[in-house]
Structures are given as structure tokens and as C-alpha cells.
Amino acid sequence: MAQVHVARMPVVQSLKDSLSALERRELYRKAEQFPLPSDALLPGSITIPGALPELAQDPTDPSSTDADNSVRLYESLKSLDEVQASDERLWVWFTHVPYFRYSQTRWDTPENEADVSKTIRLFREHFFLHGSGLAALRRNSVSRLWWAAHLTHAPWQTRPEFEALKQPDPFCYTRVLFSNQDIYQGLIERSFGTNSAVLIASLEVFRSDKARQTSQFATDFLKELNLISRYRELSVLGLEQLLLELEEVALRLKPLAA
């Protein structure tokens, strides 16, 4: 059993405000552990089965471990509900305590601060929640891993219409989502990606042909999908129709090899 904690909101706000000081930003860059005050946490904790997983790191290719880390983290924390997983205070504890070193090394934060406001924004995005809603949760270094798996894990288990897409690997769509950062950002950062049918149907387009899992195709396909979503309500389409229409877009952009 492991204990998961929640930071006090005044502490969270104080930590955010302190990023204006250079010495605090250097702490986030270089400290081995973050000196979180002893009274920083709310009383009580959330108990989860097993131990928190170690998150792998590859300094030469940081994004290459995202998929496996997402699976590990979600399997450990799948007992969390969406309300708990939307709480900034929870993810602040994760990024500052068990996954401080991971959060510290996952992102390339410039040492030479040509734009201090940009640097502060990067720290706020990755160690806290910067902004609102799912967009903020999808940038935090730890919550992004949980939410990516939560939104893509075995969709056929919760919605009967996805049964036709069933795969041996329940995390197959999680792995496709992280197969290319342009796929992740293009789907997760846009409003149509919040609809599960559109999200899974789009990922099926990429899964069905690995040659499509490139930055160029992802950029072109998701740009086209964004344009379509401006004049069509894709979420009202049945899954079968949605798959057909998205496949037509994909074939128009990149016909399948003969």
C-alpha cells in the first residue's frame, strides 16, 4: 500500500508566486529534492494498492518513455476518480515529492533566461496546473501521463460501440497517442480531442498504418480535422461513420501503399 497526499492550496499558491525569484527557479533546475515545508500537506491521505512506480527517464530522448510511464502510473493510480485527478493540489504533491527528479529532468528548461516570463510559465505548466480544465492537466509532467491513459485505456470496456476496435493490448491507444508528440499535442490540445469517440477514432487512423505516425502526417491530418470540426459537429456521428470519414481524410492526405 502507498499513501498519496494533497498539498494545501495556500502552499501551492506560495510556491507559484516564489517562481519570480531566480534562486527558486534554480532550485527547480538543480536540487536533488524539493524542500517542501512540513506543514504543506493536508491531514490524511489517499491509499492506493501497491507502491508508486518508478518513472523511467531518457535524457537523450525524453518523450520516448512517455507511453510506458503513462501505463505504469495509470495502473498504479487507476483507483483515482476524475474529481480527484482534476485537483491541482494532488499533482503538486506528485511533482514536488515522489516525482520531483522526473519532473525536473523531463523538460528542457533553459539555463539562460532570455525571457523570464516564459521560463516561469514553463515551470508553472509542468510542476503546477497553468490555465484551466483538461488543457492544464495535460501539461503537468505527471497528470498528463495519468490523463492520457485514462482517456485511451481499453475504450471497449466502457462503451459497447468500441467493441469492434478491441485489441489485445488495453493500452494500445495510449501508446499510439505518445508515438509522436505531434499526435499528442494535436489531439490533446484541441477541443475535439475531449470527445472520446473523436479521440479514439483519430487514434485508430494512426494505429491502422504506422507510416502515418510521423510529424508531417500528424500535422496535416489534425489540421484538416480541426478545420472540419469548425463547421461539423463530429461528436454526433456514430463511431462507424466517424471512422469512415476520418479514414477518407487520411487517404486523401496519404494514400495507402499499393
Side-chain angles (χ1 to χ4, degrees), residues 201-202 205 221 224-225 228-229 231-234 236-253:
S202 299
V205 168
F221 176 77
E224 187 75 10
L225 189 55
I228 293 171
S229 69
Y231 62 86
R232 292 197 65 195
E233 186 56 62
L234 295 173
V236 303
L237 298 178
L239 181 63
E240 184 176 357
Q241 184 62 32
L242 189 56
L243 286 167
L244 286 172
E245 295 200 17
L246 295 189
E247 182 63 20
E248 286 179 4
V249 173
L251 290 173
R252 189 167 65 249
L253 294 171

Side-chain angles (χ1 to χ4, degrees), residues 26-180:
E26 288 300 296
L27 181 67
Y28 277 94
R29 286 192 181 98
K30 299 174 181 178
E32 293 289 326
Q33 291 181 307
F34 190 86
L36 203 64
S38 58
D39 61 347
L41 305 178
L42 288 172
S45 60
I46 301 169
T47 301
I48 61 168
L52 288 173
E54 182 177 347
L55 298 184
Q57 301 178 56
D58 183 350
T60 63
D61 187 5
S63 66
S64 66
T65 60
D66 283 351
D68 287 342
N69 283 338
S70 179
V71 171
R72 289 191 197 101
L73 187 74
Y74 189 72
E75 287 185 323
S76 176
L77 298 175
K78 58 187 174 184
S79 60
L80 293 179
D81 60 39
E82 290 190 350
V83 173
Q84 292 171 318
S86 299
D87 192 335
E88 178 180 23
R89 300 170 302 170
L90 174 73
W91 299 116
V92 166
W93 178 77
F94 274 114
T95 58
H96 287 74
V97 183
Y99 297 127
F100 178 66
R101 289 290 285 164
Y102 169 79
S103 301
Q104 186 184 61
T105 59
R106 171 60 181 83
W107 311 100
D108 182 20
T109 307
E111 294 278 352
N112 181 17
E113 297 185 335
D115 186 342
V116 173
S117 62
K118 180 180 179 180
T119 302
I120 291 174
R121 176 177 58 78
L122 289 173
F123 281 124
R124 285 184 172 177
E125 286 179 346
H126 302 317
F127 285 89
F128 303 89
L129 297 188
H130 186 62
S132 60
L134 284 175
L137 288 160
R138 289 163 180 172
R139 297 188 188 105
N140 176 279
S141 64
V142 183
S143 68
R144 68 191 292 271
L145 300 174
W146 189 92
W147 277 97
H150 180 68
L151 294 171
T152 57
H153 171 258
W156 50 85
Q157 291 182 358
T158 54
R159 294 182 60 171
E161 63 266 38
F162 289 125
E163 183 65 27
L165 300 179
K166 187 174 181 179
Q167 301 293 323
D169 179 7
F171 290 100
C172 67
Y173 290 117
T174 310
R175 299 186 195 283
V176 174
L177 182 63
F178 282 122
S179 64
N180 186 298

